[in-house]
Each structure stands twice: as C-alpha cells, then as structure tokens.
Amino acid sequence: MSQKLQVAARGWLLAAGLFVGANLPAHAEIYTVPIIIDSEDDLFDLFENGDISESEMDLLMELYQKKVDLNRATRDELYELPGLTYPMVDAILQFRREKGDIKDVRELEKAGAVPYIVMKQMEAFVLYGRPKLQLDAPVHGSVRLKTLYQPMSAGGVGVDAGSFDEGGGGGFDVSNIRRSPSVALRSRITAMGGRLDASWTISGRDLPGRLNLAGTPDNPYYIADSPRFRLEPLRKAYAMYSADLGDQGRGQVVVGTYNAGFGERLTFDSTNRRRPYGLYGDDLMFDNVGGLGRFNSDFRVHRGLQGVAGSVQQLPVAGRITLDTTGFLSMRAVDEYMYRYRPNRTYFNEEAAAGGEARCTAEGRCHSFETFRDVYVHQVGGGNMRLNLGSRSYIGSTAYAARNYFTEGDEVVNFAPAARQPVRRSFGAFGIEGAYGTGIFDLFGEFTVTDRGAPAALIRTLYDLKPVALEVTGRYYDKGFDNPFSRGEASAGQFLGMRARDEAGLKVRAEGRPARFWRFIGHVDSWIHPAQERHDLEFFMRHEFDLSRKVRLSGWVRYFDKDIWVGGRDQDYIRSPVVNYDDIYDEDDPDFAMEELRASRTDLARGLRKEFGNQMRWQPSKRFLLTAYGRMVWRDVSVYDESFERNVSTWIRGSYKPVPWLDLSSRVRFWDDDIDTIAEDRSGDGVLDFRRGNAFLEVYGRVAVSLPKRLRGSFRYDVRTFTDVKVRDRDPEHLLRLTVEAFF
C-alpha cells in the first residue's frame, strides 16, 4: 500500500478519535446476549452458538470459577461482571458505603442499583459474604477434580488424527488407539484473613514425548514418542500475598503462575479481562472438547506468566494523587501446536524417519495435529507505573522486553506466520495510557510502539444516555506491529498470526431499552487493512422481547463482508488464494514480504457471510427452563459460483430442578455445514472433498448435585452421530465429563 494511503488512514483515525473524545461520554462492556447461566455448560453453549467469542468465554469462565466478592471488589473488578454499566457499578459502591455488606444480590435490584435482567446475569458470578464455615476457619478453600473421557468403539474413529500408533499404518483410522482419561486436580486455599491466596493444579492426560532434533542441517526433523498418559505435577501453581501498608498504600507479591495486564491492553496483557489492571494468580484450565468436528477429551491451558511479580498501590504523592507501580519477571517453557513452528516434521522413531517424508502421515509414521510440550522457552520482564489523578482519571506507562528460544534446534527452528510470537528472537514494546472520567463520561486511550518502531493507538469513549447507551472505539495497528501481548480492540480476522496488526477502524456499539419488554443491542464496525488494500465491514443487531418474566423471544442478524470493494459469488470466505511474492514485495522491508509470503492462507480470504437466528426462552417456574435455538448462515465458498453455501444449526435444551440440590438438563442439537450438498467431488475423480459437508446429530444429558457450602458435582454424557456420507459408517462418538468440588 502507498505511503500516502497509510498517512491518510492515520489521519482519519486521529480525527475520528478526537471527534469521539470531544462529543461522547460512558457505558460498560456490551455482550451481544444476556449472560444468564447456571453452569459452565451454559457458557459452552453460548460459545458454540457464536454468541460469545473464545476470549469472552475464558473471561466468563474465570469469573464463574473464582467469583467476584461484591463486598470487596474494586470498581474495575465489578465492571468485569456481565451487564453492569459504570453508573451501576457506582450505585453498588454507594450502596456498600451506605448499607454495609451485601448479603444477597437481590438487595441491589430492590434498591434500584441494578435492573432485574442485570441482577439475573450477575447471580452466577458473585459472592456476597463468605460462608460462616470459612470465616471460622484459619484456612479455607476448595478441592476440584475434573475428568474428561472419550470411550472408543470397536470400529470407529474416536480420537483426533494426531494420536497415531508408533508403527501402524492406517491413515486416519486410529481405532486401535485407546485414549486415556484427562484428569485435573486443583486445590485452592485462602489463609491469614484473606491476605494469602494459593493454588496448585495437577493434571494427567495423553501427551506425546518431548521433541528431539535429528537429521542434518539441510534436512532437520524431530523424533518424539507416541502419545501416552503422562502426569504433570505442577501444571499450575501460585501463591499470592497481599498486605495493607497503612498510609503507604497496599502491596502484593505473587510467585508461580500468574497474569498481568494494564491500560487498554495495547502494550501488555496476558489476562482474559476486558479492563485488566495489576496482577492475578493463574490456575485456569478449560475443557477443550472439540468444536464441530471430532470430540477431543483434553484440557486447554491458559498461557500466562510464570515467575515472580510485585506491586505497590496507592502510594501518596500529593493531595489526592497517588502512585501505583508494578514489576514482573517470567520464564516458562511453552507447549506449542506443531504447525506454528518450522520445521515441524516429527517421526515416532528413527526407523519411521528412514522411510522419508512422502506419505509419512498417511502411513502412520509421523505425528500430525499434535501439541508438543516445552517447545520453546519464553522470557519476559517489564513493569507499569501509574499516577492516579482521581478515582477515575490516571496517566501511566507500560514497558516490557522479551526473548524466545527453542529448546531443541534453536539455530534452525523458527515460528510460522500463523504463530502469535514474532519471527525474531528478541522483542518488546513501550506504551503510554490514560483515562479521564467525570459524571457519566469516561474516556480511555493508549499509544504503543514496538522495539522496531511500529506504532499502535486506541481511543475509547463510553456514554450512557438512558434509554440508549453507546461505546465508540477508534484503533490503528501498523503492519509491523508484532506485539504478541497486545489484546486491544480488533477485528476477528488475523494477519500473520495476530489480530491486532495491519488495521485501522472505527467501531460503534449501541444498547437500548425503549420499553420494559424490549431491548436491542448492536454494533457497526468498519476497518481497513492498509498493507492488504482491503476494507471490511461488520454489522450486528439483536432484539429481545420479554413477553413476561417467563417468556423471552430474541432474533438477530449479522453481516460480514471481508472486502466491500470486491463482489460476486466466486469468493471464498474461509480460504484465500496463494500469495504471489511479486505482488507483495516491499523493497524497503524485504523481511516483511517474506513473512507475508509464508502467511496463513486465511489472511487474504475474501467473501461475504450473512447470518440470521432466533431463540426462545420459556421458564414457567423456578424449577423448569426450556430453550430453543435456530440459526442459518449464508457464506461465500469457491465451489459455488452463483450462490452461497448454506449452513443450519438448531437445538432445544431443557433443565429441571425437582429439588433445590438437584439439576437435570439435556440438549439435542443438529448441525449441517452445507444443506445443499453432503460432500463435493471437486476434482471430478470420484474423491469427496473432506473439508466440506459436515453434518451431525448430538445429544447430551447432565446431572448436577449441589450441597451448599460443602460439595457440588456434575456428570455429563455427550454422544454425536455424524450423518454426512463421508463418515456415515463410523460409529457414534462419546464424551464423558465428571466434576466434583469440595469446600472446606
């Protein structure tokens, strides 16, 4: 892209940001659906439906597992709860000052601090006073056991294609493999009057052996044992101590696994939070049970930091001005998916390697689709300083420096473009952030530059003008902004493995309640990719109608065009054409051109996606709830020259509580990836296209038991039957999930 166009994009963003900052005031983070849940399974349902993103699910899962103490949480911590606006947060803080401790979240609705729908969203994520059992004990906490198991049938494929047998050829037929259960045991304790918080997680699961570099410098490859059950005794562990320093503020020290984040998440953030500030102990592990393909009985581990960190907050400076300072050091070995580094060819043994590269995967001699342990070591150190100018205004700065090296073959191995980490070994960033708030107005901003001088900027304003609330965000990310710790507002697409890169855009969100029974929420997001000469547009609108407290109807539309200047049905929304080096060569930055040439093909995909959906929620009593859901998606794919691919998803879910301590639920779901064709013979040789036409019927049943303050547990059983012709002869897949948690 020409330099003039890049300069124009920056100028347009700056002008938009100044306009926004001058004219708009503040509303909290807006989810596209009300987050009303009773269990972790409800969050998975929202994610599978596309109602929340993976990062939103991770945040909500963290809030659900750890809870937010309504009587101790700060303004920013309360702001993380779904549905809350800043005025509502301030009303909760005022309620605490005037009435004392909150004993039940319903008190806030009765006092007018939050509306009924927001109170229902908060219920699953909050604590309001610790149980007497915990208050009387010098040490209290919980122990949680979670296991996932995927039983195998005699004739079907029950595990992913990465679990090949060491000697066996059979292509993707891995029915001779028996996957062991994945198990995670997590212990949490709180002691010393709440000043000490600690956690320890042990996990056991099927894992491949560690990588060992082999071959020659001209033909390097790896050797690694086949997957088997392995124990990880220190998967996650931390101890965090907090202390009140009297007139000198308060301090905090954490050792082990932790997360840190600051400002608008532009310079440094390893958390899942929308408004992170400071240090957080990390013991997060999530179910990674697969998506719309095969089940996967494994855990997904949040990639945080590991080392030592400390902070001192509210150091008095002058008058109301206080100083916060945070420092952190981390060194951790990182597991990595094999297709995110090069070279990645990995044989089971030297005998398998002797057969050469051709068909090594199909013949069962190579690993595929595996995540290997301790592929590289990540070192990072940095800090943040912030001057608090008032309860809602501050100015600060964040900086960090980092280095990566591979544990095997550091001289010949490097990251693939689809990886989040930069290709170069050492990198860093420096940023300045600030905020100003008064009344119902809040303005936030951050400017960051990498060690190579690539800039990024974000400005966000929030406004709550009843009955309509607005949020406007302007953003700019340079094409060379390769900061892996940047998690600022950005589109869902990736460029060279990162979302926050090569993008300039403006996003407007709106939420309103014109009547007590009617709520709408939507956004318009328009952005350009300067280096790709692309202009994308996304529109979303959802309407909800509360016909009564028992019945809620909702419907939504979503429109996403990956390049508004390119039309026609010959585009492909998912896959992009092969990149031509001559088209993207930049003589001023040849390294960047080589990176782009090797980039993931999804970076340059074009096409249109349209979605329509509706949902009905019926709760005739506190004991029974029925939810029905349907969605249709039209999407450009290259095999259709004059029409869209049509995808349909529908499900119905019911839950029943015969007694307060017992919850029974079940769901039936049908998914068809392309209702017009089961599988496409694109080559004309009678071979089906295995990337298309997935269709399945899925059923799950769940039993949950809860004994207040002592014990809770759940058991869930899923069965999925594929109905498309590619796998119609395969036996159904099964997945079992068991969770038991005891409190002391």
Side-chain angles (χ1 to χ4, degrees):
M1 185 175 184
S2 68
Q3 183 177 2
K4 291 183 178 180
L5 186 54
Q6 294 188 40
V7 173
R10 298 184 193 186
W12 167 80
L13 175 66
L14 178 60
L18 291 175
F19 173 80
V20 167
N23 289 277
L24 289 176
H27 181 66
E29 299 288 352
I30 301 174
Y31 291 96
T32 56
V33 296
I35 311 297
I36 302 176
I37 68 165
D38 293 318
S39 66
E40 295 181 8
D41 292 330
D42 296 333
L43 290 175
F44 281 114
D45 289 345
L46 290 172
F47 171 66
E48 289 179 340
N49 296 340
D51 295 328
I52 58 176
S53 66
E54 184 175 75
S55 61
E56 289 173 332
M57 181 185 68
D58 290 350
L59 167 61
L60 292 169
M61 195 71 72
E62 178 182 358
L63 294 176
Y64 179 80
Q65 291 183 9
K66 289 193 171 183
K67 310 296 184 184
V68 175
D69 192 334
L70 283 180
N71 294 316
R72 301 175 61 190
T74 65
R75 190 172 189 261
D76 284 342
E77 290 171 340
L78 289 172
Y79 184 71
E80 298 286 354
L81 292 170
L84 282 181
T85 66
Y86 269 136
M88 293 179 195
V89 170
D90 293 335
I92 294 174
L93 296 176
Q94 183 66 23
F95 182 92
R96 287 190 341 201
R97 287 191 293 267
E98 295 179 355
K99 305 293 185 179
D101 286 351
I102 301 169
K103 299 179 176 60
D104 193 311
V105 69
R106 295 175 180 82
E107 296 177 5
L108 299 174
E109 186 213 355
K110 294 178 181 178
V114 299
Y116 174 79
I117 187 65
V118 175
M119 182 271 294
K120 294 296 292 181
Q121 294 183 73
M122 294 171 59
E123 278 185 320
F125 302 98
V126 298
L127 297 171
Y128 30 84
R130 287 172 293 175
K132 187 175 186 300
L133 170 69
Q134 297 181 356
L135 290 174
D136 292 342
V139 177
H140 62 270
S142 64
V143 178
R144 185 178 194 253
L145 174 67
K146 182 69 177 282
T147 182
L148 306 173
Y149 178 53
Q150 188 177 356
M152 293 287 298
S153 56
V157 179
V159 298
D160 61 74
S163 301
F164 281 100
D165 183 41
E166 246 185 62
F172 287 94
D173 183 8
V174 290
S175 57
N176 59 327
I177 303 297
R178 291 296 183 266
R179 180 173 287 278
S180 305
S182 296
V183 182
L185 180 65
R186 184 190 68 201
S187 301
R188 287 177 176 168
I189 64 168
T190 301
M192 303 177 66
R195 295 189 299 274
L196 178 63
D197 180 26
S199 177
W200 178 25
T201 300
I202 306 171
S203 67
R205 52 195 177 125
D206 277 355
L207 292 169
R210 298 186 186 276
L211 295 175
N212 293 284
L213 187 67
T216 66
D218 295 332
N219 183 33
Y221 56 84
Y222 286 109
I223 300 294
D225 292 339
S226 59
R228 62 178 177 82
F229 186 82
R230 305 175 195 269
L231 192 64
E232 299 173 293
L234 282 175
R235 188 57 178 168
K236 294 275 189 177
Y238 75 87
M240 177 178 286
Y241 180 78
S242 304
D244 187 351
L245 304 179
D247 295 338
Q248 300 303 310
R250 51 193 174 90
Q252 190 177 61
V253 176
V254 59
V255 178
T257 55
Y258 64 95
N259 286 302
F262 311 95
E264 290 302 295
R265 314 175 69 191
L266 209 61
T267 306
F268 191 92
D269 178 35
S270 67
T271 75
N272 293 315
R273 297 174 180 264
R274 293 171 175 260
R275 291 288 299 158
Y277 181 59
L279 306 172
Y280 308 88
D282 177 22
D283 59 0
L284 302 178
M285 294 182 66
F286 308 111
D287 294 1
N288 185 26
V289 296
L292 301 175
R294 297 185 176 101
F295 282 141
N296 178 27
S297 56
D298 202 354
F299 296 110
R300 180 168 54 86
V301 180
H302 176 77
R303 293 187 179 185
L305 306 176
Q306 180 175 296
V308 60
S311 68
V312 178
Q313 298 180 347
Q314 298 179 0
L315 283 169
V317 176
R320 297 178 57 191
I321 300 177
T322 61
L323 174 67
D324 297 348
T325 178
T326 302
F328 55 88
L329 289 171
S330 171
M331 180 175 178
R332 62 185 174 93
V334 183
D335 302 347
E336 187 60 273
Y337 187 50
M338 64 184 298
Y339 300 111
R340 291 180 180 153
Y341 56 89
R342 300 286 189 274
N344 59 16
R345 189 159 33 100
T346 307
Y347 296 96
F348 288 103
N349 48 47
E350 288 289 358
E351 291 76 16
E357 183 176 2
R359 295 183 56 80
C360 68
T361 300
E363 294 172 4
R365 296 183 290 110
C366 288
H367 290 272
S368 61
F369 307 108
E370 283 287 10
T371 296
F372 289 96
R373 294 179 295 162
D374 303 341
V375 173
Y376 68 96
V377 174
H378 179 70
Q379 301 169 324
V380 61
N384 170 270
M385 295 187 68
R386 188 168 95 171
L387 276 176
N388 301 298
L389 308 177
S391 60
R392 296 163 58 184
S393 302
Y394 65 83
I395 184 170
S397 65
T398 305
Y400 81 90
R403 182 180 182 274
N404 293 324
Y405 65 89
F406 286 85
T407 55
E408 284 284 327
D410 186 56
E411 65 283 355
V412 298
V413 185
N414 212 332
F415 291 102
R420 189 177 180 87
Q421 298 295 322
V423 174
R424 65 189 190 279
R425 290 293 191 265
S426 300
F427 53 94
F430 171 81
I432 298 174
E433 69 259 15
Y436 174 74
T438 180
I440 61 172
F441 171 77
D442 282 274
L443 171 67
F444 306 90
E446 187 168 2
F447 174 80
T448 302
V449 61
T450 67
D451 60 303
R452 284 191 170 183
L458 187 145
I459 185 169
R460 183 167 62 101
T461 57
L462 308 170
Y463 184 66
D464 194 357
L465 182 62
K466 296 180 179 180
V468 177
L470 295 174
E471 174 186 284
V472 183
T473 304
R475 61 194 187 270
Y476 172 78
Y477 302 99
D478 188 79
K479 73 172 184 179
F481 188 74
D482 56 353
N483 179 8
F485 288 104
S486 180
R487 288 172 169 81
E489 179 77 46
S491 65
Q494 292 189 357
F495 182 66
L496 298 176
M498 300 182 188
R499 292 181 58 173
R501 186 171 182 177
D502 185 41
E503 184 172 307
L506 187 69
K507 184 172 186 177
V508 180
R509 291 172 173 165
E511 179 183 16
R513 187 175 288 274
R516 291 180 59 88
F517 64 90
W518 174 25
R519 173 181 178 262
F520 72 85
I521 182 171
H523 67 254
V524 177
D525 194 2
S526 177
W527 67 96
I528 62 174
H529 298 281
Q532 305 172 59
E533 298 187 356
R534 228 175 77 187
H535 189 169
D536 294 8
L537 177 69
E538 182 184 24
F539 169 80
F540 172 82
M541 177 61 71
R542 180 186 181 102
H543 290 272
E544 298 176 352
F545 300 93
D546 293 321
L547 305 185
S548 67
R549 287 200 173 187
K550 298 180 179 179
V551 180
R552 172 181 298 140
L553 301 177
S554 61
W556 65 91
V557 294
R558 189 187 300 269
Y559 176 96
F560 196 146
D561 194 336
K562 285 193 173 179
D563 194 338
I564 64 176
W565 306 120
V566 178
R569 299 281 71 79
D570 57 344
Q571 308 299 312
D572 199 313
Y573 182 83
I574 299 297
R575 302 180 184 92
S576 62
V578 176
V579 180
N580 187 337
Y581 181 80
D582 294 332
D583 294 338
I584 53 94
Y585 180 74
D586 185 349
E587 61 181 9
D588 297 327
D589 193 355
D591 291 339
F592 173 79
M594 287 301 296
E595 283 183 342
E596 187 168 357
L597 180 66
R598 298 163 54 217
S600 168
R601 296 183 64 187
T602 60
D603 288 346
L604 300 180
R606 301 291 196 274
L608 184 64
R609 183 183 186 276
K610 300 184 292 185
E611 175 184 328
F612 170 77
N614 55 75
Q615 181 173 313
M616 185 273 293
R617 176 186 171 96
W618 177 47
Q619 189 169 11
S621 68
K622 293 183 178 180
R623 294 186 175 185
F624 181 73
L625 172 64
L626 183 69
T627 306
Y629 177 98
R631 183 182 67 179
M632 175 74 78
V633 175
W634 294 261
R635 186 174 65 187
D636 277 326
V637 294
S638 57
V639 297
Y640 294 135
D641 295 332
E642 299 180 358
S643 62
F644 291 99
E645 174 191 72
R646 295 190 296 167
N647 165 278
V648 64
S649 174
T650 182
W651 56 260
I652 184 168
R653 180 182 183 274
S655 64
Y656 177 61
K657 292 184 177 181
V659 290
W661 51 269
L662 179 63
D663 186 359
L664 308 174
S665 60
S666 181
R667 186 188 70 179
V668 179
R669 178 168 67 141
F670 174 74
W671 170 277
D672 195 327
D673 199 44
D674 188 351
I675 63 176
D676 296 310
T677 181
I678 295 179
E680 187 76 16
D681 178 11
R682 300 178 65 186
S683 60
D685 59 3
V687 179
L688 298 176
D689 181 359
F690 274 69
R691 298 175 299 180
R692 297 178 46 73
N694 288 324
F696 62 79
L697 180 67
E698 179 185 283
V699 180
Y700 81 67
R702 179 177 180 270
V703 179
V705 177
S706 177
L707 303 179
K709 307 176 184 179
R710 292 289 185 180
L711 182 70
R712 65 184 180 194
S714 66
F715 174 77
R716 171 170 163 169
Y717 171 64
D718 297 62
V719 58
R720 178 179 293 178
T721 302
F722 285 85
T723 59
D724 53 287
V725 68
K726 302 190 303 294
V727 290
R728 187 172 294 167
D729 296 332
R730 189 172 72 191
D731 291 340
E733 294 185 0
H734 308 266
L735 180 66
L736 286 76
R737 302 184 229 187
L738 175 66
T739 305
V740 179
E741 187 168 14
F743 302 89
F744 59 89

